[in-house]
Short mmCIF file of all heavy atoms in Angstrom, two decimals:
data_model
loop_
_atom_site.label_atom_id
_atom_site.label_comp_id
_atom_site.label_asym_id
_atom_site.label_seq_id
_atom_site.Cartn_x
_atom_site.Cartn_y
_atom_site.Cartn_z
N THR A 7 87.23 106.45 84.63
CA THR A 7 87.95 105.20 84.40
C THR A 7 88.96 105.42 83.27
O THR A 7 90.19 105.12 83.48
CB THR A 7 87.13 103.94 84.13
OG1 THR A 7 86.23 103.78 85.11
CG2 THR A 7 87.92 102.72 83.94
N GLU A 8 88.54 105.98 82.14
CA GLU A 8 89.43 106.20 81.09
C GLU A 8 90.58 107.16 81.46
O GLU A 8 91.68 107.07 81.01
CB GLU A 8 88.54 106.91 79.96
CG GLU A 8 89.26 107.27 78.68
CD GLU A 8 88.34 107.98 77.72
OE1 GLU A 8 87.19 107.39 77.54
OE2 GLU A 8 88.72 108.96 77.17
N LEU A 9 90.23 108.17 82.32
CA LEU A 9 91.23 109.13 82.76
C LEU A 9 92.18 108.57 83.87
O LEU A 9 93.08 109.23 84.31
CB LEU A 9 90.54 110.45 83.30
CG LEU A 9 89.85 111.26 82.26
CD1 LEU A 9 88.97 112.32 82.91
CD2 LEU A 9 90.78 111.84 81.23
N GLY A 10 91.78 107.41 84.40
CA GLY A 10 92.61 106.76 85.45
C GLY A 10 92.33 107.32 86.78
O GLY A 10 93.07 107.12 87.74
N LEU A 11 91.20 108.02 86.93
CA LEU A 11 90.83 108.60 88.24
C LEU A 11 90.11 107.61 89.12
O LEU A 11 90.09 107.76 90.34
CB LEU A 11 90.00 109.91 88.08
CG LEU A 11 90.74 110.99 87.34
CD1 LEU A 11 89.81 112.18 87.07
CD2 LEU A 11 91.90 111.46 88.18
N ILE A 12 89.46 106.61 88.52
CA ILE A 12 88.83 105.58 89.36
C ILE A 12 89.15 104.18 88.68
O ILE A 12 89.46 104.20 87.40
CB ILE A 12 87.37 105.62 89.49
CG1 ILE A 12 86.59 105.68 88.17
CG2 ILE A 12 86.91 106.83 90.30
CD1 ILE A 12 85.14 105.61 88.23
N GLY A 13 89.28 103.08 89.36
CA GLY A 13 89.55 101.88 88.85
C GLY A 13 89.75 100.86 90.08
O GLY A 13 90.50 101.21 90.92
N ASP A 14 89.00 99.85 90.06
CA ASP A 14 89.06 98.94 91.20
C ASP A 14 90.41 98.27 91.42
O ASP A 14 90.80 98.00 92.52
CB ASP A 14 87.92 97.89 91.08
CG ASP A 14 86.54 98.51 91.37
OD1 ASP A 14 86.46 99.67 91.65
OD2 ASP A 14 85.54 97.75 91.39
N GLU A 15 91.14 97.93 90.37
CA GLU A 15 92.40 97.26 90.47
C GLU A 15 93.38 98.21 91.21
O GLU A 15 94.06 97.73 92.14
CB GLU A 15 93.00 96.89 89.15
CG GLU A 15 92.29 95.60 88.61
CD GLU A 15 92.96 95.20 87.31
OE1 GLU A 15 94.04 95.54 86.97
OE2 GLU A 15 92.27 94.30 86.62
N ALA A 16 93.51 99.44 90.76
CA ALA A 16 94.45 100.33 91.36
C ALA A 16 94.00 100.66 92.81
O ALA A 16 94.80 100.72 93.73
CB ALA A 16 94.48 101.61 90.64
N TYR A 17 92.66 100.80 92.97
CA TYR A 17 92.15 101.08 94.29
C TYR A 17 92.51 99.95 95.29
O TYR A 17 93.00 100.12 96.36
CB TYR A 17 90.61 101.22 94.26
CG TYR A 17 89.98 101.43 95.66
CD1 TYR A 17 89.93 102.65 96.17
CD2 TYR A 17 89.48 100.36 96.38
CE1 TYR A 17 89.40 102.87 97.44
CE2 TYR A 17 88.99 100.56 97.66
CZ TYR A 17 88.91 101.81 98.17
OH TYR A 17 88.40 101.96 99.42
N ALA A 18 92.26 98.69 94.90
CA ALA A 18 92.52 97.57 95.77
C ALA A 18 93.94 97.38 96.05
O ALA A 18 94.39 97.12 97.20
CB ALA A 18 92.02 96.28 95.09
N ARG A 19 94.90 97.53 95.06
CA ARG A 19 96.27 97.51 95.35
C ARG A 19 96.76 98.52 96.35
O ARG A 19 97.44 98.25 97.24
CB ARG A 19 97.07 97.58 94.08
CG ARG A 19 97.22 96.25 93.27
CD ARG A 19 98.35 96.40 92.20
NE ARG A 19 98.20 97.55 91.32
CZ ARG A 19 97.53 97.59 90.22
NH1 ARG A 19 96.70 96.49 89.83
NH2 ARG A 19 97.43 98.63 89.52
N GLU A 20 96.32 99.76 96.11
CA GLU A 20 96.64 100.87 97.00
C GLU A 20 96.12 100.64 98.42
O GLU A 20 96.75 100.90 99.40
CB GLU A 20 96.24 102.22 96.42
CG GLU A 20 96.61 103.43 97.23
CD GLU A 20 98.11 103.58 97.37
OE1 GLU A 20 98.89 102.94 96.69
OE2 GLU A 20 98.60 104.34 98.28
N TYR A 21 94.86 100.21 98.50
CA TYR A 21 94.23 99.88 99.78
C TYR A 21 95.01 98.89 100.57
O TYR A 21 95.34 99.06 101.73
CB TYR A 21 92.82 99.42 99.58
CG TYR A 21 92.02 99.27 100.87
CD1 TYR A 21 91.26 100.34 101.33
CD2 TYR A 21 92.07 98.10 101.58
CE1 TYR A 21 90.61 100.27 102.57
CE2 TYR A 21 91.35 97.97 102.78
CZ TYR A 21 90.63 99.02 103.23
OH TYR A 21 89.97 98.95 104.42
N VAL A 22 95.35 97.78 99.89
CA VAL A 22 96.18 96.68 100.53
C VAL A 22 97.54 97.31 100.98
O VAL A 22 97.92 97.08 102.14
CB VAL A 22 96.33 95.46 99.62
CG1 VAL A 22 97.41 94.52 100.13
CG2 VAL A 22 95.05 94.80 99.41
N ARG A 23 98.19 97.99 100.14
CA ARG A 23 99.52 98.56 100.51
C ARG A 23 99.45 99.43 101.70
O ARG A 23 100.17 99.28 102.67
CB ARG A 23 100.10 99.34 99.30
CG ARG A 23 101.50 99.74 99.48
CD ARG A 23 102.03 100.64 98.36
NE ARG A 23 101.32 101.89 98.35
CZ ARG A 23 101.59 102.88 99.23
NH1 ARG A 23 102.36 102.74 100.25
NH2 ARG A 23 100.95 104.08 99.16
N THR A 24 98.50 100.39 101.71
CA THR A 24 98.45 101.35 102.82
C THR A 24 97.93 100.72 104.04
O THR A 24 98.37 101.03 105.14
CB THR A 24 97.57 102.58 102.42
OG1 THR A 24 96.28 102.14 102.08
CG2 THR A 24 98.18 103.45 101.32
N ARG A 25 97.05 99.77 103.92
CA ARG A 25 96.43 99.16 105.12
C ARG A 25 97.48 98.31 105.83
O ARG A 25 97.59 98.34 107.02
CB ARG A 25 95.30 98.22 104.70
CG ARG A 25 94.60 97.54 105.82
CD ARG A 25 93.81 98.50 106.64
NE ARG A 25 93.01 97.80 107.56
CZ ARG A 25 92.74 98.04 108.83
NH1 ARG A 25 93.20 99.26 109.30
NH2 ARG A 25 92.00 97.32 109.55
N LEU A 26 98.31 97.58 105.05
CA LEU A 26 99.31 96.75 105.65
C LEU A 26 100.38 97.67 106.22
O LEU A 26 101.08 97.21 107.23
CB LEU A 26 99.85 95.79 104.69
CG LEU A 26 98.87 94.65 104.25
CD1 LEU A 26 99.60 93.68 103.20
CD2 LEU A 26 98.47 93.87 105.45
N ALA A 27 100.65 98.85 105.70
CA ALA A 27 101.67 99.73 106.19
C ALA A 27 101.23 100.42 107.50
O ALA A 27 102.05 100.70 108.38
CB ALA A 27 102.02 100.80 105.16
N THR A 28 99.96 100.66 107.62
CA THR A 28 99.40 101.38 108.81
C THR A 28 98.88 100.51 109.91
O THR A 28 99.06 100.80 111.11
CB THR A 28 98.34 102.39 108.39
OG1 THR A 28 97.29 101.71 107.83
CG2 THR A 28 98.99 103.49 107.50
N LYS A 29 98.14 99.47 109.57
CA LYS A 29 97.58 98.54 110.57
C LYS A 29 97.42 97.15 109.98
O LYS A 29 96.34 96.82 109.42
CB LYS A 29 96.17 99.06 110.95
CG LYS A 29 95.56 98.33 112.12
CD LYS A 29 94.28 98.98 112.52
CE LYS A 29 93.63 98.15 113.69
NZ LYS A 29 92.31 98.73 114.03
N PRO A 30 98.52 96.38 110.05
CA PRO A 30 98.53 95.09 109.35
C PRO A 30 97.36 94.20 109.87
O PRO A 30 97.00 94.08 111.01
CB PRO A 30 99.80 94.42 109.85
CG PRO A 30 100.70 95.56 110.23
CD PRO A 30 99.77 96.63 110.78
N VAL A 31 96.63 93.54 108.86
CA VAL A 31 95.60 92.56 109.07
C VAL A 31 95.86 91.41 108.12
O VAL A 31 96.61 91.48 107.25
CB VAL A 31 94.26 93.14 108.88
CG1 VAL A 31 93.94 94.28 109.88
CG2 VAL A 31 94.07 93.79 107.50
N SER A 32 95.09 90.33 108.32
CA SER A 32 95.24 89.21 107.44
C SER A 32 94.64 89.45 106.04
O SER A 32 93.86 90.35 105.82
CB SER A 32 94.54 87.98 108.03
OG SER A 32 93.14 88.22 108.01
N ARG A 33 95.03 88.56 105.08
CA ARG A 33 94.44 88.59 103.79
C ARG A 33 92.96 88.46 103.81
O ARG A 33 92.25 89.23 103.11
CB ARG A 33 95.01 87.47 102.90
CG ARG A 33 96.40 87.70 102.34
CD ARG A 33 96.74 86.55 101.43
NE ARG A 33 96.72 85.27 101.95
CZ ARG A 33 97.80 84.63 102.42
NH1 ARG A 33 98.99 85.06 102.21
NH2 ARG A 33 97.72 83.43 103.01
N GLU A 34 92.40 87.60 104.64
CA GLU A 34 91.00 87.47 104.70
C GLU A 34 90.29 88.60 105.21
O GLU A 34 89.25 89.14 104.71
CB GLU A 34 90.66 86.23 105.62
CG GLU A 34 89.16 85.85 105.46
CD GLU A 34 88.70 85.62 104.04
OE1 GLU A 34 89.45 85.02 103.18
OE2 GLU A 34 87.52 85.90 103.81
N HIS A 35 90.91 89.35 106.21
CA HIS A 35 90.37 90.56 106.76
C HIS A 35 90.34 91.68 105.73
O HIS A 35 89.36 92.39 105.51
CB HIS A 35 91.18 91.02 107.95
CG HIS A 35 90.46 91.94 108.90
ND1 HIS A 35 89.61 91.44 109.87
CD2 HIS A 35 90.39 93.31 109.02
CE1 HIS A 35 89.10 92.46 110.56
NE2 HIS A 35 89.61 93.64 110.06
N LEU A 36 91.46 91.74 104.90
CA LEU A 36 91.48 92.68 103.79
C LEU A 36 90.44 92.44 102.74
O LEU A 36 89.84 93.36 102.25
CB LEU A 36 92.96 92.62 103.12
CG LEU A 36 94.06 93.27 103.91
CD1 LEU A 36 95.37 92.82 103.30
CD2 LEU A 36 93.94 94.78 103.92
N ARG A 37 90.23 91.13 102.43
CA ARG A 37 89.21 90.76 101.49
C ARG A 37 87.80 91.26 101.98
O ARG A 37 87.03 91.89 101.18
CB ARG A 37 89.11 89.27 101.33
CG ARG A 37 88.03 88.82 100.38
CD ARG A 37 87.96 87.31 100.21
NE ARG A 37 89.19 86.82 99.59
CZ ARG A 37 89.51 86.98 98.31
NH1 ARG A 37 88.73 87.65 97.48
NH2 ARG A 37 90.65 86.48 97.81
N MET A 38 87.48 91.11 103.20
CA MET A 38 86.19 91.57 103.70
C MET A 38 86.12 93.04 103.63
O MET A 38 85.05 93.58 103.31
CB MET A 38 85.99 91.08 105.15
CG MET A 38 85.75 89.56 105.29
SD MET A 38 85.34 89.01 106.98
CE MET A 38 86.73 89.57 107.92
N GLN A 39 87.22 93.77 103.95
CA GLN A 39 87.16 95.28 103.94
C GLN A 39 87.02 95.76 102.50
O GLN A 39 86.18 96.70 102.25
CB GLN A 39 88.48 95.82 104.48
CG GLN A 39 88.52 95.63 106.00
CD GLN A 39 89.87 96.09 106.53
OE1 GLN A 39 90.89 96.07 105.92
NE2 GLN A 39 89.84 96.46 107.89
N LEU A 40 87.68 95.12 101.50
CA LEU A 40 87.53 95.54 100.12
C LEU A 40 86.12 95.16 99.62
O LEU A 40 85.59 95.93 98.81
CB LEU A 40 88.61 94.88 99.28
CG LEU A 40 89.97 95.49 99.46
CD1 LEU A 40 91.08 94.57 98.86
CD2 LEU A 40 90.05 96.86 98.80
N LEU A 41 85.57 94.05 100.00
CA LEU A 41 84.18 93.74 99.59
C LEU A 41 83.22 94.80 100.18
O LEU A 41 82.27 95.13 99.48
CB LEU A 41 83.82 92.36 100.06
CG LEU A 41 84.46 91.24 99.27
CD1 LEU A 41 84.24 89.87 99.98
CD2 LEU A 41 83.94 91.23 97.82
N ALA A 42 83.50 95.29 101.40
CA ALA A 42 82.67 96.37 101.94
C ALA A 42 82.73 97.61 101.11
O ALA A 42 81.76 98.35 101.10
CB ALA A 42 83.07 96.60 103.42
N HIS A 43 83.82 97.83 100.46
CA HIS A 43 83.98 99.06 99.58
C HIS A 43 83.37 98.73 98.19
O HIS A 43 83.51 99.55 97.36
CB HIS A 43 85.46 99.51 99.55
CG HIS A 43 85.92 100.16 100.75
ND1 HIS A 43 85.70 101.44 100.97
CD2 HIS A 43 86.59 99.67 101.81
CE1 HIS A 43 86.25 101.79 102.14
NE2 HIS A 43 86.73 100.74 102.67
N GLU A 44 82.93 97.46 98.04
CA GLU A 44 82.32 97.05 96.74
C GLU A 44 83.32 97.05 95.64
O GLU A 44 82.96 97.29 94.41
CB GLU A 44 81.09 97.90 96.40
CG GLU A 44 80.05 97.81 97.52
CD GLU A 44 78.83 98.58 97.12
OE1 GLU A 44 77.91 98.03 96.48
OE2 GLU A 44 78.75 99.73 97.56
N ALA A 45 84.61 96.71 95.90
CA ALA A 45 85.55 96.49 94.81
C ALA A 45 85.26 95.29 94.08
O ALA A 45 84.68 94.29 94.59
CB ALA A 45 86.98 96.47 95.39
N ASP A 46 85.61 95.25 92.84
CA ASP A 46 85.48 94.05 92.01
C ASP A 46 86.25 92.84 92.47
O ASP A 46 87.38 93.04 92.93
CB ASP A 46 85.96 94.46 90.57
CG ASP A 46 85.88 93.33 89.57
OD1 ASP A 46 84.77 92.93 89.20
OD2 ASP A 46 86.89 92.80 89.17
N GLU A 47 85.58 91.68 92.47
CA GLU A 47 86.28 90.44 93.02
C GLU A 47 87.62 90.17 92.29
O GLU A 47 88.55 89.73 93.02
CB GLU A 47 85.31 89.30 92.84
CG GLU A 47 84.10 89.37 93.65
CD GLU A 47 84.15 88.47 94.91
OE1 GLU A 47 85.13 87.82 95.19
OE2 GLU A 47 83.12 88.55 95.61
N ALA A 48 87.72 90.33 91.02
CA ALA A 48 88.88 90.00 90.33
C ALA A 48 90.01 90.98 90.76
O ALA A 48 91.18 90.63 90.89
CB ALA A 48 88.69 90.16 88.79
N ALA A 49 89.64 92.25 90.98
CA ALA A 49 90.55 93.30 91.47
C ALA A 49 91.07 92.90 92.93
O ALA A 49 92.26 93.07 93.18
CB ALA A 49 89.98 94.66 91.47
N ILE A 50 90.22 92.53 93.66
CA ILE A 50 90.52 92.09 95.07
C ILE A 50 91.57 90.90 95.01
O ILE A 50 92.56 90.91 95.70
CB ILE A 50 89.29 91.71 95.91
CG1 ILE A 50 88.39 92.91 96.14
CG2 ILE A 50 89.70 91.07 97.18
CD1 ILE A 50 87.09 92.63 96.72
N ASP A 51 91.22 89.88 94.22
CA ASP A 51 92.13 88.74 94.08
C ASP A 51 93.45 89.11 93.61
O ASP A 51 94.47 88.62 94.15
CB ASP A 51 91.51 87.66 93.17
CG ASP A 51 90.27 87.02 93.72
OD1 ASP A 51 90.04 87.11 95.03
OD2 ASP A 51 89.51 86.46 92.97
#
């Protein structure tokens, strides 16, 4: 985390960006997918 190699905020932002660019889904669908990856709720929001 200190090295910036993992972090839920960056992961969630990148996941949303790439997911919407490749296969658009709703915000709620994205939320469920990010929860399945066990991302932090605040990062998801």
Side-chain angles (χ1 to χ4, degrees):
T7 301
E8 180 183 313
L9 293 171
L11 295 174
I12 60 173
D14 286 1
E15 283 184 16
Y17 176 86
R19 275 196 309 274
E20 182 62 16
Y21 186 91
V22 167
R23 187 188 67 73
T24 57
R25 182 71 170 144
L26 292 177
T28 58
K29 187 176 180 184
V31 294
S32 70
R33 281 188 299 258
E34 192 54 38
H35 203 85
L36 285 167
R37 176 178 299 287
M38 291 185 305
Q39 290 174 334
L40 285 165
L41 286 171
H43 286 275
E44 301 181 87
D46 178 68
E47 294 258 0
I50 293 171
D51 291 340

